[in-house]
Amino acid sequence: MSKILIRGAKVLGGEAQDVLIDGEIIAETGTGLSAEGAQVIEAGGQVLLPGLVDLHTHLREPGREDSETVLTGTRAAASGGYTAVFAMANTFPVADTAGVVEQVYRLGKEAGYCDVQPIGAVTVGLEGKKLAELGAMHDSAAGVTVFSDDGKCVDDAVIMRRALEYVKAFGGVIAQHAQEPRLTEGAQMNEGVVSAELGLGGWPAVAEESIIARDVLLAEHVGSRVHICHLSTAGSVEIVRWAKSRGIDVTAEVTPHHLLLTDELVRSYNPVYKVNPPLRTERDVMALREALADGTIDIVATDHAPHPHEDKDCEWAAAAMGMVGLETALSVVQQTMVETGLLDWAGVADRMSVTPARIGGAKGHGRPVSAGEPANLTLVDPAYRGVVNPADFASRSRNTPYEGRELPGRVTHTFLRGRATLVDGKLA
Amino acid sequence: MMRHLISAADLTRDDAVLILDTAEEMARVADRPIKKLPTLRGRTICNLFFEDSTRTRISFEAAEKRLSADVINFAAKGSSVSKGESLKDTAQTLEAMGVDAVVIRHSASGAPYRLATSGWIDAPVINAGDGTHQHPTQALLDAFTMRRRLVGRDAGLGQDLSGKRITLVGDVLHSRVARSNVDLLHTLGAEVTLVAPPTLVPVGVEHWPCEVSYDLDGVLPKSDAVMMLRVQRERMNAAFFPTEREYSRRYGLDGLRMAKMPDHAIVMHPGPMVRGMEITAEVADSDRCTVVEQVANGVSIRMAVLYLLLGGSEPAATNARTEEN
Ligand SMILES: [Zn+2]
């Protein structure tokens, strides 16, 4: 059956209406649409959004298939309401050649749960020394436009300048993991009151802020576009706000966990809270929420970072950094942004679909929910309340900071070009 | 009493005074011809050392043996941090062997806390030093030494350190001894001042219950005890201070500086001392310096902690004496 009628959905949180999908596109929207020949989904007032787009996902394949594969990662994405994810380059081998990005791209197509757009490394082997073949990756079947050494900072100012300049030739963007390496040697958590007490190595806010300040100035100087990954401090917000007011072409993302969790949780020494950049303070969290609301921070990106159990079930210092996030992102955004009144659902659609698709150049994603558009859609039940149980995750890894926590909202259906990848909360 | 001893911050004033009083009882055992109590006979205690520390290990071992416990020494080779799973694996092995308590030393801050709270093991956990976090028995033995010297051996029983002014000097940033002492001394009513170059004071210290000064000479006349912390020479290479000489000039304790302290004031050091840089031989060998007493007191404190965590509520020594008959 190629026709699907979604009946009575609040499109972008507005008035309830019907949406008719025919094949890969949205055929019609309105009230009282005919169900003839169509499979009917009673939305019952649930919120319909354009399919979510994650600009920052770690799929781990190739190389760490014990953590995640393109298949399991995209199943997790579909569960979380995503129809496109950008796969970070820090795999083994590193995605720094046309061959590797094409492999990831092809695996995404085969899996079929959401579009996988590979991100290419900025430098060979993420080593920060020599530019990777950015043009070849762009010209490959994968059509890479976003480049990042994420996990590591492009800390050499000259390399960063050249990368920013070079990708202008094909409309690329450099996504920077802002972390001054010398200031964060031995860093285990946010540097501040809690680190002083716990005796864990500090990751100072200035290590992030100084790189962002440098990079927006570089972007201005060479007239390029820069994107800041997982911005985490109040000071970073101020720098980005200043840069935008000056007309610099900068965009920025925040993760769901930096919108909700603080470094107070590290008192448990439970490595599930170990992440890079680290969880910051309440003051930072509030500044990030406001910046996301007023558009200083453009998007929410998950930084979904799966790790096997044994990499977290150990002492803090030995544990891997990162959290899974695809399956809980929308719930965390609902709790921190919608239920606080900072964003409405149209705002959520903008921050989690429209703008990430624009920054990354994901064609067919982040489009209006209207006739003639590709049927990439997510249906969410905001009234739902449930306790997070990692055993339910589609991701191969379970390293969630939300285990046992009640979060609102649940994605019930996801459609990728008219085909349901998630039905009633179950993967299709 | 609590079930584990992970942090000096977990001790209430009454817990801490009970430990100090019990340690006085234990100290009397050391004066006997046979320095042994049957208190922990049949109990097995493992000293789990992931980081070398002969001094601390021997001190715990002496305490365990004086209480008649069976002792297993486990020294993990190499860096445990590079092989994250070893802590959990080792813990479960010990659990399977029926160990009654684990004394753990680890280079990672929080490792003892993880061991005590992760469900890997049931036995009480005693922190013998973790990373740059805590070393609670060190703080207790320091407080014990101060109480004996500044309040009195018998007069001190039941007392805390109210009103005593204690100065800690040196590498506070990397010091678990400093963290533990600030917590415990505050709990015991003392006024604590930290003195160090600003590079060796942690960001966030303003939330600690103590004062911070960069001027040692200004603080000395107001100190009842001055505790010198260990400064590792490597810190110089990491630009925490320019040269050893300069450190010594500004933060070292020599005879001239010691003369600025009140007559009754004592000089302490957790050992091992770096003579010349942080403390001169003249000070280290003076009778105001308590380094040797601190070592002896360490055994009494560790006996008290083991007894209270593993034993019972009855007085340790009297109970023991009846058993001896
Ligand atoms: Zn990342």
Side-chain angles (χ1 to χ4, degrees):
Chain A
M1 188 183 294
S2 66
K3 275 191 182 179
I4 300 170
L5 181 68
I6 303 170
R7 189 182 276 151
K10 294 179 175 174
V11 176
L12 270 49
E15 289 298 305
Q17 52 179 302
D18 305 340
V19 173
L20 181 68
I21 300 171
D22 189 356
E24 296 191 358
I25 61 164
I26 297 170
E28 207 180 343
T29 64
T31 45
L33 297 187
S34 159
E36 200 187 320
Q39 176 195 344
V40 177
I41 292 168
E42 294 292 350
Q46 293 183 50
V47 172
L48 189 66
L49 302 172
L52 306 183
V53 177
D54 189 14
L55 199 63
H56 191 149
T57 305
H58 295 271
L59 292 178
R60 304 294 187 214
E61 190 177 5
R64 282 308 299 267
E65 292 81 359
D66 57 328
S67 308
E68 194 82 285
T69 63
V70 172
L71 177 62
T72 59
T74 52
R75 283 168 65 89
S79 296
Y82 287 88
T83 53
V85 298
F86 284 73
M88 272 300 172
N90 61 339
T91 48
F92 306 97
V94 170
D96 59 2
T97 63
V100 180
V101 293
E102 283 190 351
Q103 181 196 359
V104 173
Y105 181 72
R106 183 177 50 75
L107 287 168
K109 284 261 177 265
E110 283 169 18
Y113 281 94
C114 73
D115 287 348
V116 174
Q117 180 56 58
I119 291 175
V122 178
T123 64
V124 175
L126 310 176
E127 282 172 1
K129 302 274 189 272
K130 194 173 173 299
L131 286 185
E133 289 191 352
L134 309 176
M137 289 189 270
H138 177 73
D139 294 338
S140 75
V144 176
T145 56
V146 182
F147 300 91
S148 180
D149 278 358
D150 180 57
K152 288 184 176 175
C153 181
V154 182
D155 65 304
D156 183 311
V158 173
I159 298 278
M160 186 61 184
R161 173 198 171 144
R162 300 284 182 246
L164 287 167
E165 286 178 307
Y166 192 79
V167 299
K168 280 203 288 184
F170 43 85
V173 62
I174 307 296
Q176 176 69 292
H177 173 123
Q179 176 181 6
E180 211 294 316
R182 287 277 284 143
L183 285 173
T184 51
E185 279 170 19
Q188 296 285 328
M189 67 172 298
N190 179 49
E191 181 169 72
V193 176
V194 182
S195 68
E197 232 176 89
L198 298 185
L200 288 172
W203 199 134
V206 66
E208 174 173 308
E209 293 154 7
S210 59
I211 293 289
I212 297 175
R214 182 199 75 176
D215 287 353
V216 295
L217 292 172
L218 282 174
E220 177 179 46
H221 181 63
V222 301
S224 299
R225 183 156 77 100
V226 66
H227 175 75
I228 309 299
C229 293
H230 42 51
L231 182 150
S232 70
T233 78
S236 298
V237 167
E238 284 173 40
I239 294 164
V240 170
R241 190 172 282 139
W242 171 83
K244 286 187 166 180
S245 75
R246 206 173 148 94
I248 297 171
D249 200 353
V250 56
T251 52
E253 71 191 30
V254 63
T255 71
H257 48 271
H258 287 111
L259 290 172
L260 180 61
L261 309 175
T262 72
D263 65 352
E264 289 291 330
L265 291 162
V266 182
R267 291 183 188 282
S268 67
Y269 284 108
N270 186 342
V272 80
Y273 301 115
K274 185 173 175 180
V275 65
N276 189 12
L279 300 178
R280 306 288 189 180
T281 67
E282 186 73 18
R283 181 178 153 262
D284 294 304
V285 166
M286 291 307 155
L288 294 170
R289 289 183 186 181
E290 287 192 0
L292 183 64
D294 71 21
T296 302
I297 296 176
D298 301 82
I299 64 169
V300 175
T302 66
D303 196 7
H304 177 78
H307 290 293
H309 182 65
E310 58 270 26
D311 288 4
K312 286 288 194 180
D313 192 29
C314 55
E315 59 273 27
W316 180 278
M321 294 194 255
M323 306 168 165
V324 292
L326 285 168
E327 291 166 84
T328 46
L330 191 58
S331 292
V332 174
V333 170
Q334 182 182 333
Q335 178 172 333
T336 57
M337 300 300 295
V338 179
E339 297 188 352
T340 54
L342 287 165
L343 272 188
D344 56 16
W345 285 104
V348 172
D350 177 73
R351 306 302 193 274
M352 296 184 78
S353 175
V354 177
T355 305
R358 177 176 58 74
I359 294 169
K363 292 184 190 72
H365 293 277
R367 303 291 306 162
V369 181
S370 53
E373 297 288 351
N376 295 316
L377 296 166
T378 293
L379 191 60
V380 53
D381 176 7
Y384 178 86
R385 290 289 180 282
V387 172
V388 177
N389 179 3
D392 298 338
F393 284 176
S395 171
R396 179 161 284 184
S397 293
R398 304 279 178 266
N399 50 306
T400 174
Y402 310 114
E403 178 170 8
R405 206 182 253 261
E406 189 183 282
L407 289 178
R410 186 175 81 118
V411 177
T412 59
H413 293 76
T414 308
F415 299 93
L416 177 64
R417 281 182 291 279
R419 191 174 60 79
T421 54
L422 188 78
V423 177
D424 281 331
K426 293 187 181 62
L427 285 159
Chain B
M1 276 295 285
M2 64 249 285
R3 226 170 85 68
H4 307 285
L5 180 59
I6 307 296
S7 166
D10 300 337
L11 292 167
T12 63
R13 185 243 175 227
D14 289 350
D15 281 342
V17 170
L18 174 65
I19 294 170
L20 300 186
D21 288 352
T22 308
E24 282 292 0
E25 258 183 274
M26 295 299 178
R28 280 183 218 119
V29 176
D31 300 335
R32 297 190 197 169
I34 297 172
K35 301 178 176 31
K36 206 158 170 140
L37 298 172
T39 316
L40 297 183
R41 191 188 284 151
R43 308 289 202 98
T44 303
I45 300 174
C46 179
N47 299 318
L48 183 55
F49 276 56
F50 287 89
E51 185 186 68
D52 281 343
S53 174
T54 310
R55 297 163 58 97
T56 304
R57 208 249 306 140
I58 289 177
S59 180
F60 269 104
E61 195 172 340
E64 289 150 7
K65 288 183 169 163
R66 281 189 194 168
L67 292 171
S68 304
D70 295 323
V71 179
I72 300 173
N73 283 312
F74 181 96
K77 288 247 167 63
S79 163
S80 60
V81 171
S82 62
K83 262 188 84 211
E85 263 212 288
S86 58
L87 176 62
K88 181 184 179 185
D89 287 347
T90 309
Q92 290 181 334
T93 305
L94 295 176
E95 178 80 348
M97 289 164 60
V99 164
D100 296 295
V102 177
V103 173
I104 176 176
R105 169 78 155 228
H106 204 289
S107 60
S109 299
Y113 185 87
R114 280 289 274 165
L115 187 63
T117 58
S118 299
W120 300 334
I121 192 167
D122 261 343
V125 173
I126 297 161
N127 183 2
D130 62 327
T132 52
H133 177 223
Q134 282 274 334
H135 193 357
T137 57
Q138 176 73 43
L140 284 160
L141 78 87
D142 291 335
F144 184 75
T145 306
M146 288 176 212
R147 195 176 77 168
R148 277 193 154 189
R149 284 282 201 126
L150 302 175
V151 185
R153 193 168 169 154
D154 294 318
L157 286 174
Q159 301 297 305
D160 57 22
L161 294 170
S162 290
K164 300 299 173 201
R165 290 169 303 182
I166 318 293
T167 302
L168 307 185
V169 186
D171 185 357
V172 176
L173 180 63
H174 302 95
S175 177
R176 52 193 170 211
V177 175
R179 282 176 177 75
S180 319
N181 265 291
V182 169
D183 290 334
L184 183 67
L185 293 171
H186 172 72
T187 301
L188 289 171
E191 293 165 27
V192 182
T193 304
L194 302 175
V195 180
T199 46
L200 290 174
V201 176
V203 168
V205 76
E206 61 278 8
H207 290 257
W208 292 10
C210 62
E211 299 289 312
V212 177
S213 167
Y214 307 131
D215 172 24
L216 181 56
D217 291 300
V219 177
L220 288 176
K222 297 177 282 184
S223 302
D224 297 306
V226 176
M227 186 185 301
M228 305 304 291
L229 301 169
R230 175 114 177 260
V231 178
Q232 291 178 336
R233 292 203 151 100
E234 307 90 88
R235 304 291 179 223
M236 200 179 81
N237 301 326
F240 286 104
F241 48 87
T243 63
E244 240 177 75
R245 280 310 310 151
E246 172 149 332
Y247 180 88
S248 208
R249 231 178 268 129
R250 295 175 70 87
Y251 301 100
L253 192 61
D254 59 9
L256 281 175
R257 282 219 164 98
M258 189 167 66
K260 294 183 180 173
M261 294 164 51
D263 289 341
H264 68 271
I266 56 172
V267 175
M268 306 180 72
H269 196 295
M273 291 183 280
V274 181
R275 290 177 187 239
M277 178 164 153
E278 56 203 34
I279 194 163
T280 61
E282 181 191 1
V283 177
D285 297 332
S286 86
D287 58 5
R288 302 173 74 169
C289 181
T290 61
V291 171
V292 177
E293 281 165 62
Q294 284 171 266
V295 173
N297 292 343
V299 177
S300 305
I301 280 290
R302 285 162 184 138
M303 288 172 77
V305 167
L306 289 163
Y307 167 72
L308 290 167
L309 286 184
L310 279 173
S313 43
E314 292 167 72
T318 35
N319 176 33
R321 245 177 253 123
T322 49
E323 277 183 37
E324 267 167 351
N325 296 334

